[in-house]
Structure formats: C-alpha cells, structure tokens
Amino acid sequence: DAGITQSPRHKVTETGTPVTLRCHQTENHRYMYWYRQDPGHGLRLIHYSYGVKDTDKGEVSDGYSVSRSKTEDFLLTLESATSSQTSVYFCAISDVAGGRKNIQYFGAGTRLSVL
Amino acid sequence: SQQGEEDPQALSIQEGENATMNCSYKTSINNLQWYRQNSGRGLVHLILIRSNEREKHSGRLRVTLDTSKKSSSLLITASRAADTASYFCATDEMIQGAQKLVFGQGTRLTINP
C-alpha cells in the first residue's frame, strides 16, 4: 500500500465519543486526503491537505476535523462520533494535485463502527 | 457531487472472457483514471488517460475515452480469477477552488473459474 499506514485498522466506538484516525506516509508526498467509502456512495472526500498545517474541506466535512503537523502524518478526528459516521475510511496521498496527473495512492483503510 | 458513474454496477463472467465497464461523467476533464479495489483493501491506480487521448493500453487493460459523449470504458481481456475486484473511474473536478479527484460508485467484477 505504497508506504501508507492507517491506524487503527478497525475500531468500534460509542456514539458521542471522540475518535482519531491516523495516516502515516513514508513517501514524502505533499498532498494527503481522507475519504469515506459507503455502499451506494462510492468514495467521498472528507478533508485534504496541501502541506504542513494547510488543510481544506472536501465534500462531506461536517462532523470531521483534520490536522497535519508533519509532512508524514495526517489525522482525522471525529469530535463526537455519530452512527452516520460508521464507514470505511481511506487515506490517500499524491505528489501532484489536479491538472495533469493527480494519481493517488491509498492506504488499506480503517473500518469504523459507531454504536 | 458524483462526477463519474460506472455501468454496470456488477458484472459476473467466466474466466478467459473479456470484461467491459463503462464510466460516464458530467463536466469537462483534464484526465480520467481507473482504479481497482480488492476486497478489504485500498484502491490501486490502474491507468490514466488524458483528455486529448482516445485510447490507451496497459497489459490486458484497454481504456477508451470519448470526450464528446463524456464517457470512458475499461476493457480487461482474457480475464483471470485475480481480476475479481471493484473498479472505479475517477475524474478531476474543481471543488472549492481546488482540483480534486471525484470517484464513481464502482463496478463489482466477479470472475468465475
């Protein structure tokens, strides 16, 4: 999975608890992304980062926050988890955003269940 | 927003047959990509075709792009059991002033031995 490690791989939590998912890369790629994957919706972008401390919202950012204090780490936080956030979360990285070659490399995913 | 829409949603064929998946999109693009996802794994990039290209090959994969119809197809020839996976097209789209990939819902391909 292209030097990308997501942790944890599986998590079960209760509604209302905070949850942090971690994405760690060893590729020194500038851009990092968090997606969620749900049946019937494909992959949807939650947040992305275009550099250390530079982040922006994606398509489905409500209820999520992110932080990137180092090039290699991108954290996704659910401040107060809800059942609608039960999903599989993928981190992706790329070296070039948009334009000609935004090829993205994905981690193995984190399966999150909110009860 | 969902830029790419794959068709069919599911496809089941016999090993050795060819598999064709289609993708339609809505707005103009710079390029279109296809990704594969094996069960329980992340997506893996397969091939990228630029908007000024009509056809591209990579091994047993053949991708076509018709910008006038805003559609693309992925052909896998001489399918193998290991090709069983979900396949996604992805197009670039401007979202909030930045260009990002937007993925379709995918085609689930099953190769029967």
Side-chain angles (χ1 to χ4, degrees), chain A residues 1 9 33 35 37 40-43 45 48 56-59 90 97-109, chain B residues 1-2 30-31 33 35 37 40-45 48 50 88 92 95-106:
Chain A
D1 293 311
R9 291 293 316 279
Y33 311 82
Y35 294 90
Q37 184 175 35
H41 290 279
L43 267 78
L45 182 65
Y48 67 101
D56 209 344
K57 297 178 180 179
E59 182 187 0
F90 287 98
R100 299 174 185 277
K101 265 194 168 185
N102 186 8
I103 294 173
Q104 296 187 8
Y105 303 91
F106 284 78
Chain B
S1 61
Q2 210 90 53
N30 291 321
N31 58 64
Q33 302 179 42
Y35 287 78
Q37 183 181 32
R41 305 294 298 274
L43 277 71
V44 175
H45 173 79
L48 177 151
R50 294 193 169 92
F88 296 85
D92 53 341
I95 301 176
Q96 296 161 330
Q99 205 156 10
K100 304 176 190 64
L101 285 185
V102 179
F103 292 84
Q105 295 184 27

Side-chain angles (χ1 to χ4, degrees), chain B residues 3 7 21-22 31 46 70 78 81 106:
Chain B
Q3 170 75 306
D7 168 60
M21 290 157 272
N22 303 296
N31 58 64
L46 292 176
K70 292 187 169 57

